[in-house]
Amino acid sequence: MRKLEGLSASPGIAVAPVFCFREEKTAAIPKYRIDSADIETQWKRFQTALEQSREEILLLKDDRNKFQSEILEAHLMMLSDPEFIPQIHADLKSKKLNVENILKNKIDETTAVLRASGDTYLAERAVDIEDAFGRVMNHLLQDGTAKTAVDSIDRFVPPGTILAAKNLKPSEALALKDAEIAGILLEEGGATSHVAILARTWRIPAVMGLRGILGLLSDGMEIVLDADDGLVIIDPPADVLSFYRSRSDAKRKKDTGEKTGSGPKRKKLPAVTTDGAAISLRANIALADEVRDAKEKGAEGVGLFRSEYLFLGSDVLPDEETQFAVYREVVKNLDGYPAVIRTLDAGADKMLHEQAVLEEKNPLLGWRAIRYSIDHRDMFSAQLRALLRASNYGDLRIMFPMISNMEELDIVLEIFEDVKASCVKNRIPFNKNVKTGIMIEVPSAATCADLFAKKVDFMSIGTNDLIQYTMAVDRENPKVAYLYDYYNPAVLRLIKRTITAGKRSGVEVSMCGEMAGDPGAVFLLIGMGLRTFSMAPVFISAVRDLIRKVSVEEAAELAEAAMEMSAAREIKKLIQGKIKSYE
Ligand code: PEP
Ligand code: MG
């Protein structure tokens, strides 16, 4: 038996066979020699695959908008390129290797030249070449329908298995939503990575930061994933297996009871402290259909809708109509409660193609979120227009991510005013009093929260990034995860500063970072003056239970004591001790 410790990213227990997702599984391109007699057969295969790809693109093109159609049109032209295509035939003759191998080398060679050009436009074309000829490659490899890199993972992972991988992109994780896997374990990643956030939302047990574990696993091995304690057990003896099996069964029964409503259904009591302060609990969601779960868990609205998942799930950006339909669905389903929709936060681990090709040295400090949106004014305006149109159907609020200085906010508000003016001009109805706010997730914004508060209707503290940027620690790097702590006094001071700035200006301050899902932290934050929290729906009931046990007065005393302390460890101990006294 071997026990490995990692970071618990999403609670739960799974006992199941493991499936190792190694990149070469998707990238395996056969390589073999061919005879001169086979050259024409291979060439014919290539031409058939080319034809299938063209037909497929034409079909896709039919129901896309203008922008998407232009991209597909460009792909069609690439598939008839007068230099690229004949070169495949020439290479077949000179190298005498199978056509998949020839194609792969040709794609690599061409894209490397484009990427090395230093020209963003050309570098972006490299992605188009990979996309267009990736389709051809898929036909060659499978003689089936094309699949994109984005959605491929769910085709590999057998249902009921624990998926083990080095890391996953949020777009890959998105494809796992309905894959019915038993759990996830990753060599990299952190508890506030977006993959962890999605796993929690979908109740998939997950442990991350298990360096080197792939080397110890092989497909089909039965392992234990104890994500409650951040453990993985390889080669478990029979008694350990049966212990965990019974624990996971008991847990599953409880969860299913909750989900289907067949279990003991508890009436949702309001989140009110013992001295009568009403606390608002909202939900963080990534997809529109998660509103149902949020409501079931008693959320009073959505405090963070990460709109970028709409953009990540496919190869093409969604147009205004598509976005409008999604935002309207969210806001309509919330029965008058607020829907805080964040504009695109692309970049860092959630890259769009254009960002990926740049290969920035420090993407976390780079062309991300609002910086990217400002540089894509048309796309940004389309998103704002879709949001404004949806604002007519309920209490929709618009939130801008990663604001780091006032000039940036001024530009954003100017664009917003322009979009509003064009809606008025075109008689497009929208809520004229729609609220706008910003994420406070960069230390510079927290430091100047008093200045920002003068220009916005609300501020929402994003601790996931705020900790990362305050502590200079990558939120996904398990090596430095010990530094990533919301109880660090520096982080708490920035939070306090933001809350005070909001109070002084009469601007609502809430929190939508993962800290808001920890009952102990919420206890402290109530004492610091916060009254609105947004979290993954799964955490709502535990947070609510704690709130109903404590008073604002006790919370304020706790906060006062905590703010005097100089180490996260002491603060955590203080809070844990206090919470124990309520059990
Ligand atoms: C945050 O940074 O706290 C946040 C909520 O945004 P995200 O996790 O999507 O970066
Ligand atoms: Mg963030």
Side-chain angles (χ1 to χ4, degrees):
M1 175 168 91
R2 188 148 179 196
K3 242 185 207 183
L4 282 97
E5 249 177 81
L7 305 164
S8 170
S10 173
I13 290 172
V15 181
V18 70
F19 176 82
C20 302
F21 182 72
R22 298 193 167 90
E23 274 179 20
E24 62 270 19
K25 275 197 170 136
T26 50
I29 309 287
K31 180 179 180 181
Y32 52 90
R33 300 227 141 262
I34 57 167
D35 296 334
S36 300
D38 288 332
I39 292 172
E40 289 313 310
T41 321
Q42 292 287 319
W43 176 236
K44 189 128 197 5
R45 282 187 62 218
F46 179 66
Q47 286 189 310
T48 308
L50 262 185
E51 202 40 53
Q52 286 169 326
S53 305
R54 284 194 196 109
E55 279 167 16
E56 201 169 70
I57 293 178
L58 284 171
L59 271 178
L60 274 175
K61 214 166 134 282
D62 273 354
D63 57 12
R64 298 296 155 121
N65 63 28
K66 187 165 167 286
F67 174 64
Q68 296 164 350
S69 294
E70 277 168 13
I71 295 176
L72 292 169
E73 188 61 45
H75 289 187
L76 269 182
M77 280 170 65
M78 283 171 182
L79 296 187
S80 305
D81 189 279
E83 278 182 34
F84 193 102
I85 309 290
Q87 193 59 50
I88 299 285
H89 196 231
D91 286 356
L92 277 171
K93 279 199 210 155
S94 61
K95 297 184 179 158
K96 297 216 177 73
L97 288 168
N98 60 310
V99 71
E100 294 94 326
N101 192 272
I102 299 281
L103 176 61
K104 175 164 188 336
N105 288 337
K106 186 78 196 141
I107 295 173
D108 288 351
E109 215 174 82
T110 315
T111 54
V113 173
L114 294 175
R115 288 199 167 105
S117 68
D119 179 322
T120 316
Y121 176 80
L122 289 179
E124 280 167 29
R125 297 293 74 74
V127 177
D128 286 323
I129 289 178
E130 282 166 350
D131 217 341
F133 285 101
R135 226 175 253 288
V136 180
M137 181 69 86
N138 280 322
H139 281 295
L140 282 172
L141 289 174
Q142 293 178 7
D143 293 322
T145 50
K147 61 182 173 49
T148 64
V150 167
D151 71 3
S152 61
I153 190 166
D154 57 321
R155 298 182 185 225
F156 290 94
V157 197
T161 56
I162 296 171
L163 168 66
K166 188 159 187 283
N167 207 346
L168 290 176
K169 295 192 199 93
S171 51
E172 286 171 326
L174 207 56
L176 290 173
K177 183 173 183 232
D178 301 313
E180 294 180 10
I181 55 171
I184 298 175
L185 60 89
L186 298 183
E187 292 201 333
E188 296 174 358
T192 64
S193 67
H194 290 97
V195 176
I197 291 170
L198 289 177
R200 281 196 286 276
T201 304
W202 300 328
R203 321 264 198 289
I204 302 174
V207 178
M208 303 190 170
L210 295 153
R211 284 211 179 266
I213 194 165
L214 280 177
L216 307 172
L217 299 173
S218 54
D219 288 353
M221 272 169 94
E222 183 147 63
I223 62 164
V224 171
L225 179 80
D226 174 358
D228 290 345
D229 289 327
L231 285 180
V232 171
I233 305 175
I234 301 174
D235 283 332
D239 56 335
V240 173
L241 262 181
S242 67
F243 169 76
Y244 276 104
R245 271 207 192 103
S246 57
R247 263 183 74 184
S248 84
D249 282 350
K251 233 181 144 87
R252 195 171 322 124
K253 271 188 200 129
K254 190 169 156 258
D255 288 353
T256 325
E258 260 175 34
K259 260 183 229 161
T260 59
S262 61
K265 202 166 186 173
R266 281 192 296 159
K267 190 168 159 355
K268 304 267 167 356
L269 295 163
V272 177
T273 60
T274 55
D275 47 359
I279 310 294
S280 173
L281 304 184
R282 298 177 186 159
N284 290 352
I285 62 168
L287 303 169
D289 65 6
E290 289 166 17
V291 167
R292 198 178 342 109
D293 185 34
K295 280 177 21 181
E296 268 171 29
K297 296 284 176 303
E300 295 181 342
V302 162
L304 170 64
F305 175 37
R306 291 180 162 98
S307 72
E308 55 274 11
Y309 283 97
L310 262 175
F311 290 73
L312 288 180
S314 75
D315 292 349
V316 278
L317 300 182
D319 60 8
E320 182 186 321
E321 282 312 308
T322 312
Q323 291 187 62
F324 165 62
V326 174
Y327 304 149
R328 184 182 51 184
E329 183 189 338
V330 170
V331 78
K332 272 174 95 173
N333 286 336
L334 280 170
D335 316 321
Y337 281 122
V340 179
I341 302 190
R342 180 172 76 182
T343 62
L344 180 69
D345 181 4
D349 61 333
K350 293 176 291 192
M351 293 211 189
L352 301 178
H353 276 167
E354 192 192 13
Q355 294 166 316
V357 295
L358 274 187
E359 295 183 3
E360 287 176 288
K361 261 205 173 137
N362 287 304
L364 288 170
L365 304 177
W367 203 29
R368 200 194 142 176
I370 205 68
R371 303 165 184 186
Y372 182 83
S373 291
I374 288 175
D375 286 346
H376 290 78
R377 200 174 163 136
D378 287 350
M379 180 209 69
F380 188 37
S381 299
Q383 178 165 38
L384 291 174
R385 231 180 352 263
L387 286 165
L388 278 176
R389 287 169 60 194
S391 73
N392 224 18
Y393 295 84
D395 184 2
L396 184 148
R397 306 178 188 182
I398 301 172
M399 179 156 74
F400 303 112
M402 283 278 288
I403 295 288
S404 63
N405 71 27
M406 198 56 80
E407 286 83 350
E408 209 170 36
L409 179 61
D410 286 340
I411 295 172
V412 167
L413 294 177
E414 201 185 299
I415 297 175
F416 186 53
E417 285 309 314
D418 282 355
V419 175
K420 280 208 281 193
S422 83
C423 287
V424 170
K425 200 169 144 216
N426 294 305
R427 296 177 198 275
I428 296 172
F430 64 93
N431 171 10
K432 306 277 181 310
N433 299 315
V434 64
K435 291 188 170 144
T436 49
I438 57 172
M439 296 271 306
I440 298 287
E441 53 184 341
V442 181
S444 61
T447 312
C448 296
D450 53 330
L451 303 175
F452 285 109
K454 294 186 180 136
K455 299 204 178 176
V456 295
D457 300 311
F458 65 91
M459 301 190 285
S460 183
I461 305 170
T463 46
N464 306 343
D465 279 313
L466 187 61
I467 301 167
Q468 156 166 273
Y469 295 128
T470 305
M471 302 304 298
V473 47
D474 179 345
R475 65 196 253 194
E476 291 204 34
N477 184 340
K479 272 259 184 263
V480 287
Y482 68 97
L483 287 168
Y484 188 95
D485 195 330
Y486 36 70
Y487 292 129
N488 187 284
V491 176
L492 291 182
R493 275 164 171 66
L494 289 175
I495 292 172
K496 179 71 192 159
R497 207 182 161 84
T498 308
I499 297 171
T500 307
K503 242 190 203 130
R504 288 202 178 127
S505 310
V507 161
E508 181 195 82
V509 177
S510 56
M511 177 177 285
C512 61
E514 293 298 294
M515 183 181 187
D518 173 345
V522 169
F523 188 12
L524 173 71
L525 292 162
I526 290 175
M528 289 165 73
L530 215 53
R531 296 290 179 270
T532 307
F533 300 86
S534 191
M535 64 206 76
V538 68
F539 296 129
I540 291 180
S541 71
V543 168
R544 187 197 299 115
D545 288 351
L546 191 274
I547 289 171
R548 294 184 56 79
K549 287 185 197 154
V550 303
S551 69
V552 170
E553 198 185 333
E554 289 159 327
E557 271 169 27
L558 177 76
E560 199 182 324
M563 293 306 275
E564 291 295 317
M565 294 178 159
S566 55
R569 200 175 358 99
E570 289 174 64
I571 297 171
K572 207 175 295 172
K573 213 166 131 197
L574 173 75
I575 296 173
Q576 279 166 354
K578 194 86 185 137
I579 286 186
K580 266 218 153 66
S581 69
Y582 295 105
E583 281 166 2

